[in-house]
Amino acid sequence: MQQILLTGFEPFAGEASNPSWDAIQQLDGWRPDAETIVRARKLPCVFGHSLQVLEAELSALQPVLVIAVGQAGGRTCFSLEKVAINYNDARIPDNSGQQPVATTTDDAGPAAYFSSLPLKHIVQKARQQGIPAEVSFSAGTFVCNHVFYGLMHQVVKTPKVRAGFIHIPYSPQQASRHQTASMSLDLVVAALKISIEVSLLQQPDLQLAMGQLD
Ligand code: PCA
């Protein structure tokens, strides 16, 4: 049985919940096909420790596909991240009180990595099923980008393993306090299923224009 690793985060920034964890929990044990099972794991919203937990799960599960998920309140869409940067600059403290400013995740690593998920194909499929989705070109400089960079730095050694990061909007409950965009848990779960199914096809990404002007 081959395994897929999904990660989500604990709540941060004073929120009571993190829909990235609520959503992936619903997919723990899901079998997208007869040979494959999904495992959902929670990461601490802490620089450094989040990567230690992730690396332990990667070596325990030896997954064929890894999708890390986090919340980006204010996003209007299910956001497929393209780029992980080797740069930490925390506007708020993480859950352990650390607030790195202008540091690297790996001193010897390259400036950036690209996701190896078929981002445009996933966006197209999600839109066809009525789910707002986009390619995003910045995962920020907080713990999500840090985990995305650390993940890509690990899997670069195993090119057959596809990996990437997805940011999701506020839940409707959160958005009612922030008066901004939201996405229901059901839609997030449906979009994650699409992301897994399309990634398992092992095809090159679609050649569609999905860039940004600025
Ligand atoms: N979002 C934060 C970290 C944890 C999460 O869910 C981020 O975007 O960096």
Side-chain angles (χ1 to χ4, degrees):
M1 183 74 68
Q2 59 178 10
Q3 317 216 56
I4 294 174
L5 172 61
L6 291 184
T7 66
F9 281 99
E10 64 184 7
F12 71 107
E15 296 290 331
S17 64
N18 190 326
S20 67
W21 172 237
D22 300 338
I24 67 159
Q25 255 184 303
Q26 293 193 20
L27 292 171
D28 191 42
W30 181 55
R31 296 184 178 202
D33 60 42
E35 296 97 60
T36 315
I37 187 159
V38 172
R39 306 288 184 197
R41 298 289 186 264
K42 182 156 68 177
L43 300 182
C45 184
V46 175
F47 285 95
H49 186 41
S50 50
L51 280 183
Q52 288 160 6
V53 175
L54 175 69
E55 282 161 23
E57 294 296 347
L58 289 174
S59 53
L61 298 172
Q62 300 286 317
V64 292
L65 169 66
V66 187
I67 303 181
V69 187
Q71 160 141 81
R75 293 280 172 102
T76 57
C77 290
F78 186 80
S79 278
L80 281 294
E81 297 294 351
K82 176 73 184 174
V83 197
I85 59 174
N86 193 8
Y87 186 70
N88 306 312
D89 205 297
R91 193 165 46 75
I92 57 170
D94 70 11
N95 284 0
S96 75
Q98 301 176 86
Q99 194 169 1
V101 171
T103 67
T104 58
T105 291
D106 190 302
D107 281 348
Y113 287 107
F114 284 151
S115 172
S116 55
L117 302 180
L119 306 181
K120 293 177 172 184
H121 198 163
I122 294 168
V123 168
Q124 186 199 49
K125 257 275 166 37
R127 288 177 180 170
Q128 282 167 352
Q129 296 195 20
I131 303 172
E134 64 183 0
V135 177
S136 160
F137 297 93
S138 173
T141 56
F142 194 50
V143 180
C144 285
N145 171 71
H146 174 70
V147 161
F148 183 19
Y149 185 89
L151 168 64
M152 300 316 295
H153 195 63
Q154 281 296 313
V155 302
V156 77
K157 300 164 200 157
T158 46
K160 278 197 348 231
V161 177
R162 280 191 140 172
F165 195 95
I166 298 172
H167 262 130
I168 60 172
Y170 281 130
S171 67
Q173 292 84 344
Q174 292 176 308
S176 66
R177 281 183 281 107
H178 295 286
Q179 290 97 49
T180 184
S182 70
M183 186 174 281
S184 73
L185 218 51
D186 285 354
L187 281 192
V188 172
V189 171
L192 287 171
K193 284 184 166 179
I194 292 169
S195 306
I196 290 169
E197 284 163 349
V198 173
S199 300
L200 284 175
L201 297 175
Q202 290 289 349
Q203 290 167 354
D205 203 0
L206 302 179
Q207 292 293 312
L208 297 170
M210 287 191 186
Q212 289 175 358
L213 289 193
D214 47 37

